[in-house]
Amino acid sequence: MQDKPSPIRETDDEARKLARRLLRGARYASLAVLDAESGFPAVSRALLGMDVDGVPVILVSALAGHTVALRNNPRCSLLAGEPGKGDPLAHARITVFCTAEPVARDSDDHARIRARFVARHRKAELYVDFADFGFFRLVPVSAALNGGFGKAYQLSGEELTIRGASVAAEWLHPQELTGTMDEQAEAVAHFLKMPETGGWRISGADMAGFELVRGDILVRCEFETPVFSPNEIIDRIFNFAKTS
């Protein structure tokens, strides 16, 4: 009896690029946890941030059921990917299986993550410092990518994160500089033929790319190759804007 062909395709560079773009470019995602009392899967929605190493970040209230669940059992998953017109199952989406790590409020990690999260979600500044709110890093373990009908892939957690990312102080300086690059943001938005004009800004940058934001719109721009020095991030964005 002949074995049936596997529905899982071999993961190639295009699949990896799509997976990273779906995750890194998501403003929010469905968050699945195991309910602390019943043990049943529980799904909610959470705003997503992105740490400098490509690890997703959430900001949650200690009063929320999913926060209690994560402290009880750190295993969780995210579903990212926006449906478009027509059949929602024909559009790309990714499920990322993660381990949640709480971020201590008095740590350097918290200061970095807070700055990046608020730059991405400005309204979060209204409650980010409330005593009952805190961050979790959701470290990817593996992922299931569905690029549309007949396009299923499996990825490791390492294929979604940014290898060699540094949290040293000199790497955080470009994050501050990108907040002043509105002219470059407009040039990139024009190059990408975004229908909206005016009000674009760069909310964050890392070794692998940067993010354009305008209101509720977020666009992830990936570099062709990673950068290896802090100053190179700014140069890459300037060059991206010039060629645009």
Side-chain angles (χ1 to χ4, degrees):
M1 185 175 179
Q2 190 174 8
D3 293 336
K4 293 183 179 180
S6 172
I8 307 299
R9 291 189 176 189
E10 182 178 351
T11 303
D12 55 18
D13 286 341
E14 288 304 312
R16 295 183 187 94
K17 288 179 181 179
L18 175 60
R20 293 164 185 162
R21 188 168 68 250
L22 286 171
L23 182 60
R24 296 173 188 172
R27 291 183 60 248
Y28 59 87
S30 297
L31 170 66
V33 298
L34 295 174
D35 185 78
E37 292 186 4
S38 69
F40 277 95
V43 183
S44 58
R45 180 177 293 155
L47 291 179
L48 277 191
M50 203 63 53
D51 204 354
V52 291
D53 56 356
V55 169
V57 172
I58 58 172
L59 174 65
V60 291
S61 168
L63 304 177
H66 47 258
T67 306
V68 177
L70 290 175
R71 293 194 181 281
N72 182 66
N73 188 331
R75 292 181 299 166
C76 59
S77 61
L78 295 170
L79 173 64
E82 288 292 312
K85 294 181 179 180
D87 189 342
L89 298 183
H91 297 275
R93 64 272 190 192
I94 185 170
T95 299
V96 185
F97 304 99
C98 307
T99 300
E101 298 178 347
V103 179
R105 186 177 287 271
D106 58 354
S107 67
D108 291 339
D109 288 342
H110 184 276
R112 176 187 73 249
I113 289 170
R114 183 195 182 284
R116 290 176 63 86
F117 195 92
V118 170
R120 189 186 247 214
H121 303 288
R122 284 186 167 174
K123 291 182 180 179
E125 194 162 16
L126 296 173
Y127 53 85
V128 65
D129 295 323
F130 286 2
D132 63 309
F133 273 79
F135 290 105
F136 281 87
R137 280 170 41 96
L138 305 184
V139 182
V141 176
S142 62
L145 169 67
N146 191 319
F149 290 120
K151 298 180 181 178
Y153 305 89
Q154 293 180 340
L155 297 93
S156 68
E158 288 185 351
E159 289 177 297
L160 294 175
T161 54
I162 302 170
R163 298 179 183 178
S166 172
V167 297
E170 63 267 21
W171 281 95
L172 305 183
H173 185 53
Q175 172 70 30
E176 300 174 3
L177 293 180
T178 55
T180 67
M181 301 178 69
D182 292 350
E183 182 178 342
Q184 288 71 33
E186 293 290 345
V188 175
H190 178 74
F191 171 74
L192 296 176
K193 299 182 179 179
M194 301 302 297
E196 300 81 3
T197 58
W200 288 100
R201 60 187 177 84
I202 297 173
S203 67
D206 51 57
M207 292 173 63
F210 62 97
E211 299 161 3
L212 285 180
V213 173
R214 182 184 186 274
D216 294 334
I217 304 171
L218 187 150
V219 180
R220 173 72 184 186
C221 301
E222 291 278 305
F223 298 139
E224 285 297 322
T225 56
V227 301
F228 295 100
S229 71
N231 293 334
E232 192 179 353
I233 291 179
I234 303 302
D235 291 342
R236 286 280 188 98
I237 295 175
F238 269 112
N239 291 336
F240 203 111
K242 286 179 181 178
T243 57
S244 303

